[in-house]
């Protein structure tokens, strides 16, 4: 029984996206695809302990889900147009390839991440349809009531149907722009897991970071030549490698400078570094995620924080600010400048960001640290107070509180 349960769990992890995507292509309806896939897995839980795990679980699940979908359509169409029903049930002609790459899962990802949907809906729909997370799991991840998350996902599916959002991979001309939207969703999922924004008991959500990495690996397998996909995967791996050192046993955030580098995952670091080297060897102008991954590679190459090549990091940020004008990027650059040119120079740079980042806790945390290093304790304390007020993550609050209380 234990082996069967493990087989079902493994099939859910490995095959859910493939099963749902195949059904979505066949029937053109996300509700039917989702519900039929869920019913197929429920059937597996009942039948596999009796009949044994099939040699090809994915094929078994897809076939079973297909039958479940047909049963549902027949039930719902008893009083509807029989000709339309017969066409849907018996038209097995293969679909024409409508995009640059013909893969059911890729079609589904682009449907879930369509720009016509609100960003929050794209995230929820991607985690449900591609990740196989339950509505309850998604709601808990983003601190939303389950009923509200259910409505969010339902509205997204209704909009896809009502607006006629196509179930296809974008054309070759549109693909680069649409991929960036998919990557933005996956990056948002990863960041929420790596440092949860709500007052969670677990400030780092490994379930979300692992799911973001898994989906990005899928995109990487489907679009192996896309530099930004490789860059995002490398960035996630190099960040995830430091997860074990991120929070102390007492639940306090541990900064990069204070982390035990011996606890970093060297396998993930090696894979991330390899991806970064591959992109450098391609000699193609890097995008945002590739530059961020390169910064992560520099950090994880240093055996001790004192060995960090800050001049290279600042140079990479100089390149990044030309690609991304976000004030958060400028703030991160200022933090790096403090290590190279001193806190006074960096503090002057943060002054220019005040109007745009006053409501961002990391801005006040960075200023508090710079002011502390300059011996301006009263100003530092006020900045720490503001950062604590704005921070939502329990580990960050604990760290900032301790740093504030250590001021003379």
């Amino acid at each position: 029984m234990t082996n069967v349960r493990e087989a079902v769990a493994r099939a859910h992890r490995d095959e859910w996206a493939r099963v749902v995507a195949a059904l979505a292509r066949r029937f053109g309806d996300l509700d039917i695809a989702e519900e039929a896939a869920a019913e197929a897995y429920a059937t597996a839980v009942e039948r596999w302990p009796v009949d044994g795990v099939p040699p090809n679980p994915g094929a078994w699940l897809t076939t079973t889900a297909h039958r479940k979908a047909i049963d549902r359509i027949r039930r719902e169409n008893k009083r509807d147009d029989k000709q339309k029903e017969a066409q849907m049930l018996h038209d097995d002609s293969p679909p024409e390839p409508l995009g640059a790459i013909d893969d059911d899962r890729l079609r589904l990802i682009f449907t879930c991440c369509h720009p016509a949907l609100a960003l929050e809906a794209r995230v929820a729909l991607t985690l449900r349809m591609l990740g196989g997370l339950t509505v309850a799991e998604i709601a808990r991840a983003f601190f939303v009531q389950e009923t509200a998350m259910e409505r969010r996902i339902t509205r997204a599916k209704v909009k896809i149907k009502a607006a006629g959002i196509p179930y296809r991979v974008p054309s070759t001309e549109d693909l680069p722009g649409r991929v960036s939207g998919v990557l933005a969703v996956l990056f948002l999922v990863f960041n929420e897991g790596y440092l949860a924004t709500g007052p969670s008991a677990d400030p780092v959500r490994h379930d979300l970071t692992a799911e973001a990495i898994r989906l990005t690996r899928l995109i990487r397998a489907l679009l192996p030549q896309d530099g930004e996909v490789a860059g995002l995967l490398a960035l996630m791996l190099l960040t995830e490698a430091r997860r074990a050192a991120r929070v102390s046993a007492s639940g306090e955030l541990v900064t990069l400078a204070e982390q035990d580098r011996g606890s970093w995952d060297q396998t993930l670091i090696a894979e991330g570094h390899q991806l970064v080297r591959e992109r450098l060897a391609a000699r193609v102008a890097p995008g945002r995620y590739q530059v961020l991954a390169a910064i992560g590679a520099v950090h994880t190459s240093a055996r001790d924080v004192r060995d960090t090549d800050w001049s290279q990091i600042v140079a990479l940020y100089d390149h990044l600010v030309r690609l991304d004008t976000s004030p958060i990027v400028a703030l991160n650059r200022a933090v790096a400048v403090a290590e190279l040119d001193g806190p006074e120079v960096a503090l002057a740079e943060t002054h220019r960001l005040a109007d745009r980042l006053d409501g961002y806790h990391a801005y006040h945390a960075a200023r508090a640290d710079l002011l502390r290093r300059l011996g301006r304790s009263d100003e530092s304390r006020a900045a720490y107070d503001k950062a604590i007020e704005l921070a939502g993550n329990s580990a960050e609050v604990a760290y900032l509180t301790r740093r504030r209380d250590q001021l003379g």
Side-chain angles (χ1 to χ4, degrees), residues 51-123:
D51 301 336
V53 179
N56 188 335
W60 188 97
L61 288 162
T62 301
T63 300
T64 302
H66 187 271
R67 290 171 182 158
K68 297 290 186 184
I70 289 176
D71 289 343
R72 171 179 165 171
I73 292 168
R74 282 177 172 150
R75 289 194 303 269
E76 294 180 352
N77 288 346
K78 280 183 178 178
R79 299 181 180 85
D80 292 341
D81 186 348
K82 294 296 182 181
Q83 184 177 2
K84 180 180 178 182
E85 174 192 351
Q87 182 179 3
M88 173 171 281
L89 295 181
H90 303 297
D91 181 12
D92 292 324
S93 58
E96 296 183 6
L98 297 175
I101 298 171
D102 187 23
D103 186 282
D104 288 339
R105 291 164 298 170
L106 198 60
R107 293 170 187 258
L108 184 57
I109 288 172
F110 279 106
T111 301
C112 292
C113 295
H114 196 279
L117 302 174
L119 182 58
E120 296 84 356
R122 292 181 231 167
V123 172

Side-chain angles (χ1 to χ4, degrees), residues 220 223-224 226-235 275 278-279 290 293:
R220 167 77 170 156
L223 298 173
D226 191 291
E228 280 293 80
V229 175
L232 179 58
L233 179 56
L235 174 61
L275 287 168
E278 287 176 7
R279 295 314 308 162
Q290 293 169 79

Side-chain angles (χ1 to χ4, degrees), residues 141-399:
F142 291 94
F143 307 99
V144 175
Q145 290 292 326
E146 185 174 341
T147 53
M149 183 59 71
E150 180 73 57
R151 287 194 297 270
R152 181 180 298 178
I153 294 173
T154 299
R155 284 196 298 267
K157 289 189 286 189
V158 168
K159 184 165 187 177
I160 287 172
K161 185 180 293 187
I165 292 174
Y167 174 65
R168 66 174 184 233
V169 178
S171 65
T172 303
E173 295 76 18
D174 294 337
L175 189 58
R178 289 290 303 282
V179 169
S180 66
V182 172
L183 298 184
V185 168
L186 296 177
F187 193 35
L188 181 61
V189 172
F190 181 85
N191 283 338
E192 179 59 31
Y194 190 66
L195 199 62
T197 55
S200 171
D202 187 358
V204 177
R205 293 290 308 277
H206 176 56
D207 54 341
L208 284 182
T209 59
E211 187 59 30
I213 290 172
R214 188 180 72 82
L215 292 175
T216 306
R217 286 192 188 279
L218 172 60
I219 298 288
R220 167 77 170 156
L222 298 173
L223 298 173
Q225 304 304 317
D226 191 291
E228 280 293 80
V229 175
L232 179 58
L233 179 56
L235 174 61
M236 288 181 177
L237 294 173
L238 294 172
T239 306
E240 179 72 359
R242 307 195 300 266
R243 177 173 54 85
R246 180 72 164 164
V247 178
S248 70
S250 62
E252 183 179 314
L253 180 74
V254 181
T255 63
L256 182 62
E258 299 173 321
Q259 287 177 13
D260 173 13
R261 300 189 176 216
S263 66
W264 289 357
D265 189 324
Q266 295 302 316
T267 300
L268 293 181
I269 289 174
E271 185 181 357
H273 284 186
Q274 178 61 32
L275 287 168
V276 171
R277 286 194 296 270
E278 287 176 7
R279 295 314 308 162
L280 289 173
R283 297 188 178 278
V284 177
R288 172 173 173 256
Y289 295 119
Q290 293 169 79
V291 177
L292 285 169
I295 292 170
V298 176
H299 278 301
T300 51
S301 295
R303 294 191 176 187
D304 187 277
V305 66
R306 293 168 295 186
D307 300 327
T308 305
D309 188 345
W310 290 106
S311 61
Q312 187 176 1
I313 289 176
V314 171
L316 287 167
Y317 271 118
D318 287 342
H319 186 78
L320 184 61
V321 294
R322 293 194 289 271
L323 298 173
D324 185 348
T325 58
S326 163
I328 295 176
V329 172
L331 175 65
N332 291 335
R333 181 188 177 279
V335 171
V337 165
E339 303 301 325
L340 190 65
D341 299 325
E344 192 164 1
V345 175
L347 188 64
E349 293 197 9
T350 67
H351 285 321
R352 294 193 286 271
L353 304 172
D355 291 342
R356 290 182 290 171
L357 293 181
D358 188 57
Y360 182 46
H361 76 279
Y363 167 74
H364 297 284
R367 283 180 48 80
D369 183 65
L370 295 172
L371 290 163
R372 178 190 59 80
R373 292 164 65 179
L374 290 169
R376 295 159 62 176
S377 297
D378 290 343
E379 293 172 88
S380 178
R381 183 175 292 103
Y384 274 123
D385 286 340
K386 186 66 173 178
I388 292 166
E389 175 189 337
L390 294 171
N393 184 277
S394 59
E396 279 192 296
V397 170
Y399 166 75

